[in-house]
Amino acid sequence: MFEGYYKKSRSERLQILRDYAGLTDAELAILNHEGALPFETANHMVENMISTFQVPLGLGLNMVVNGKKYAVPMATEEPSVIAAMSSASKLIAQSGGLKATSSGRLMVGQMAVYGVLNFERAKQTIIEHQTFLLDVANAAYPSLLKRGGGARELIVREVETTEEKIFVVHLHVETLEAMGANMINTMVEALCPDIERLTGGTAEMKILSNLTDQATATATCTIPTNLLFTKNRSGEEVRDRIVRAFAFSDADIYRAATHNKGIMNGIDAVLLAFGNDVRSIEASAHAFTARDGRYRPMSRWSVNARGDLVGELTLPMPVATVGGSIAISPLATLAKKIAKVENAEELAMLAVSVGLAQNLAALKALVTEGIQRGHMTLQAKSTAISAGAKGEEIERVAEKMLETGQINLSEAKKIIEEER
Ligand code: MEV
């Protein structure tokens, strides 16, 4: 039934799909609804394209990083993420905003060379021929060199499996505004014949590494306790509870995974809105966090000598403002303009700042009123919408469900019926 599906036009694909899945005309109309990404463009982006998928795009507000104010486009389906980011950013802005730095942006390519007999000699040979090898890599992608980027250094590592020792060569590349996957893969493939000749081994695996530890960004914030108090707790107590929540994550992988998921809620939302490869950033962040062999919380919360709460987050941020599908995605192009982000380095610092703000919002809520109150308010609204509530009805239905604590589809439908 799906034979040659990729060769068919989109409308032919929909006809086939209609028969296959028994779609109604109304359901076909949903698939035919064209969003900000034109079908024509989407059709060139993936195989077997039938429609485009949308998630809400909102603005995370109140963010101040290195003295600059940002309205941050965030694409996410999770109801509380943008609200939480905006409220934590407001708190941080009152304390002077976030400070962010970047380590620079070198991406990593890997070559795994098997069958090398003398590792020391092979290592020496690679180091001696470094300039020549970098020239070979750069010659494989001359346009990058012309724009001021290019291959910068080679590092040699030894990796031991249960079977053998692998001679691993890393190529560090400055990819400028791109994430650079194609650039790096082209370069490492071009380098292989020379690496094999110089080491006497066979380069079986050549591909970029998603652990981009040469391209990190760090965000920090310092919040005095007089900004942390809640209705029932002093600022000191909230601060100490947040630090204890961090210590719990640091000691327990079950909690660390959730702590980190909350950080990535913000980072993924920003980078999805910027048309970036979110899987690469996720892979990089989790691997970096476990780089010494133990999975840890990505951020760190402590108390400084003045008694303020201090938050810090360092993560690899292989982000891009060009390349991939960024230029052909109208919303991704707009995101840069809306956020007034000048370049990839600034985007990396902004994303990590959002991650830290998101983490503060979650921890503060968790150790005080609990996460459910805020979550449920937004959850109630989405449930009301799913049940068919429209316009002002949405708020009213949500409020009624919150009053009774019954937040589910059938309750929402019952309230809508009563209202109408
Ligand atoms: C929910 O998406 C994220 C949180 O679970 C994060 C956390 O627990 O730190 C609230």
Side-chain angles (χ1 to χ4, degrees):
M1 198 164 195
F2 289 104
E3 208 169 304
Y5 202 63
Y6 71 100
K7 288 191 221 151
K8 306 256 193 274
S9 69
R10 201 182 68 85
S11 57
E12 285 168 334
R13 282 183 208 142
L14 288 187
Q15 293 313 312
I16 294 168
L17 183 63
R18 184 180 64 178
D19 297 342
Y20 172 78
L23 300 182
T24 63
D25 285 348
E27 285 162 344
L28 275 179
I30 295 172
L31 290 171
N32 269 324
H33 184 81
E34 194 159 7
L37 179 66
F39 284 150
E40 169 73 20
T41 311
N43 204 22
H44 293 296
M45 289 169 75
V46 298
E47 192 156 291
N48 300 338
M49 194 282 284
I50 52 169
S51 186
T52 53
F53 191 89
Q54 296 171 33
V55 292
L57 176 69
L59 281 185
L61 296 176
N62 313 318
M63 169 118 309
V64 178
V65 184
N66 296 338
K68 180 169 169 180
K69 288 187 183 148
Y70 290 92
V72 192
M74 297 173 77
T76 178
E77 89 302 340
E78 187 167 327
S80 56
V81 168
I82 298 175
M85 179 291 208
S86 302
S87 89
S89 295
K90 192 169 179 180
L91 185 67
I92 299 171
Q94 284 165 4
S95 335
L98 290 125
K99 308 271 173 291
T101 54
S102 152
S103 68
R105 285 170 42 85
L106 287 178
M107 304 299 165
V108 182
Q110 277 197 305
M111 288 154 278
V113 191
Y114 293 81
V116 173
L117 297 177
N118 186 333
F119 270 57
E120 263 322 299
R121 180 140 31 91
K123 186 174 173 183
Q124 257 335 100
T125 314
I126 295 293
I127 292 168
E128 276 161 23
H129 290 79
Q130 165 131 231
T131 312
F132 161 74
L133 291 167
L134 292 177
D135 285 347
V136 172
N138 281 322
Y141 220 101
S143 60
L144 180 62
L145 196 66
K146 238 182 267 161
R147 282 181 281 119
R152 292 287 183 256
E153 60 185 340
L154 284 161
I155 305 278
V156 177
R157 298 173 53 232
E158 278 180 32
V159 173
E160 237 174 301
T161 72
T162 46
E163 308 292 318
E164 62 197 321
K165 230 163 50 168
I166 312 171
F167 186 82
V168 179
V169 184
H170 281 197
L171 175 70
H172 292 168
V173 184
E174 195 159 342
T175 57
L176 302 175
E177 288 301 294
M179 188 257 194
N182 280 330
M183 297 169 183
I184 288 170
N185 294 339
T186 304
M187 284 182 178
V188 287
E189 285 187 11
L191 264 185
C192 271
D194 286 305
I195 297 279
E196 289 181 338
R197 181 174 54 76
L198 292 169
T199 59
T202 311
E204 287 185 19
M205 168 71 72
K206 38 223 177 254
I207 182 76
L208 93 165
S209 167
N210 278 113
L211 176 49
T212 57
D213 55 1
Q214 309 294 310
T216 62
T218 297
T220 55
C221 64
T222 305
I223 306 166
T225 47
N226 63 3
L227 293 174
L228 283 172
F229 68 91
T230 64
K231 230 189 305 167
N232 307 320
R233 298 185 202 289
S234 72
E236 285 74 15
E237 185 177 357
V238 174
R239 173 200 65 194
D240 293 345
R241 283 180 168 226
I242 289 176
V243 173
R244 277 209 297 276
F246 157 71
F248 176 30
S249 309
D250 202 32
D252 180 45
I253 192 167
Y254 284 90
R255 175 57 206 153
T258 319
H259 179 105
N260 292 343
K261 190 271 183 184
I263 291 172
M264 298 315 287
N265 271 347
I267 293 176
D268 286 356
V270 176
L271 296 173
L272 190 60
F274 275 80
N276 271 238
D277 178 348
V278 179
R279 285 95 46 218
S280 140
I281 286 136
E282 281 278 347
S284 198
H286 292 284
F288 184 74
T289 296
R291 66 195 178 285
D292 66 0
R294 188 156 79 82
Y295 188 79
R296 292 170 186 280
M298 292 168 178
S299 63
R300 170 162 213 93
W301 293 93
S302 58
V303 180
N304 70 10
R306 279 205 317 264
D308 306 328
L309 176 68
V310 178
E312 184 178 347
L313 175 64
T314 296
L315 282 177
M317 277 291 138
V319 303
T321 62
V322 301
S325 54
I326 295 172
I328 54 175
S329 160
L331 283 176
T333 309
L334 262 183
K336 197 172 154 194
K337 186 162 185 186
I338 294 169
K340 302 190 177 161
V341 160
E342 304 279 335
N343 52 42
E345 194 161 47
E346 187 181 351
L347 177 58
M349 293 192 285
L350 178 60
V352 89
S353 300
V354 170
L356 189 61
Q358 204 74 54
N359 187 217
L360 175 64
L363 295 185
K364 182 161 177 273
L366 283 164
V367 300
T368 55
E369 64 182 9
I371 208 80
Q372 278 314 80
R373 217 175 75 105
H375 270 198
M376 289 328 272
T377 310
L378 292 155
Q379 186 60 36
K381 277 196 205 165
S382 340
T383 310
I385 295 166
S386 311
K390 299 260 181 298
E392 288 172 7
E393 204 176 43
I394 298 169
E395 292 279 350
R396 283 202 305 276
V397 176
E399 260 165 40
K400 282 202 172 156
M401 283 194 290
L402 284 165
E403 269 165 31
T404 59
Q406 298 261 40
I407 302 167
N408 57 57
L409 212 55
S410 55
E411 182 66 14
K413 283 185 177 151
K414 203 175 91 196
I415 299 170
I416 294 170
E417 262 169 40
E418 285 165 11
E419 285 245 330
R420 288 176 183 171

